[in-house]
Amino acid sequence: MSTRVVVVDDQDLIRGGFVAILDSADDLEVVGEASDGDAAVAIVRETVPDVVLMDIRMPGTDGLAATEAIVADPALADVRVVVLTTFEEDDYVMRAIRAGASGFLGKGVKPAELLGAVRTVAAGESLLSPKATRSLIAHVTRDTVTPKVDGERFRYLTDREREVVLLVAQGLSNDEIAQQLFVSPLTAKTHVNRAMTKVGARDRAQLVVAAYQAGLAQG
């Protein structure tokens, strides 16, 4: 089955470029397009895609608000959002993750990287570009406004799950974790999923934030 994607961007040329790239892949299918946040939420509710490519800065309802609306809808619990922006800065990284985004990429991403990003998020992994990962970690470790996460939840992790969480916090993928721990990618994914369930994290990005806020991971 194809991975179903909705593309949201207020610039027709950019949106059309993303659609063309996605449609060039046999395993991906664009099922909807939108040019603003309100239209994005509407088309996502209508089509229930696997992945949404979401621009941040748009007139009217922006991409962050649209992401929050999508994440908050129980009927869209399995929809994952990848935020695309030219503004790969700390504030946008944190706002996107807090809004519920599972991925973050700059608009200068290469076609192969874009296709890989959609496939990665559709497979259940969060996606942060290396720069975005560094920004996320730096922001969390110095953020004195965000309430700290109760570390009690991490007490229920096994030693291997804690080890895996630390690797996730370093930005490693399931394949990279598997290579480092000499286990299969499926085993690595199982450990990550169990850790997310125990901690109450919706996805890997939230797991990273929780790990740093709880003091499990150190900057």
Side-chain angles (χ1 to χ4, degrees), residues 154-164 191 198:
F154 286 90
R155 290 183 55 189
Y156 299 100
L157 300 183
T158 65
D159 290 341
R160 177 46 62 91
E161 288 166 355
R162 292 172 71 90
E163 186 177 13
V164 167
H191 287 312
K198 291 180 180 180

Side-chain angles (χ1 to χ4, degrees), residues 94 97 133 136-142 146-155 157 161-171 192 195-196 198-219:
M94 287 306 298
I97 297 304
T133 300
L136 173 62
I137 292 171
H139 204 297
V140 171
T141 54
R142 69 165 183 264
T146 302
K148 297 299 182 183
V149 171
D150 184 0
E152 183 72 16
R153 289 178 291 176
F154 286 90
R155 290 183 55 189
L157 300 183
E161 288 166 355
R162 292 172 71 90
E163 186 177 13
V164 167
V165 168
L166 290 174
L167 295 176
V168 171
Q170 294 174 26
V192 173
M196 288 192 298
K198 291 180 180 180
V199 173
R202 182 175 186 269
D203 56 31
R204 295 165 74 98
Q206 289 190 355
L207 184 62
V208 171
V209 172
Y212 276 94
Q213 291 181 332
L216 179 64
Q218 303 293 326

Side-chain angles (χ1 to χ4, degrees), residues 2 46 51 90 153 164 168 177:
S2 297
E46 177 183 342
V51 178
D90 287 5
R153 289 178 291 176
V164 167
V168 171
I177 292 173

Side-chain angles (χ1 to χ4, degrees), residues 67-80:
T67 297
E68 290 176 339
I70 291 169
V71 171
D73 190 335
L76 305 175
D78 293 329
V79 176
R80 294 293 178 261

Side-chain angles (χ1 to χ4, degrees), residues 93 97 102-105 126-133 136 171 205 208:
V93 172
I97 297 304
S102 296
F104 187 102
L105 284 174
S126 292
L127 181 87
L128 295 171
S129 66
K131 182 177 178 181
T133 300
L136 173 62
V208 171

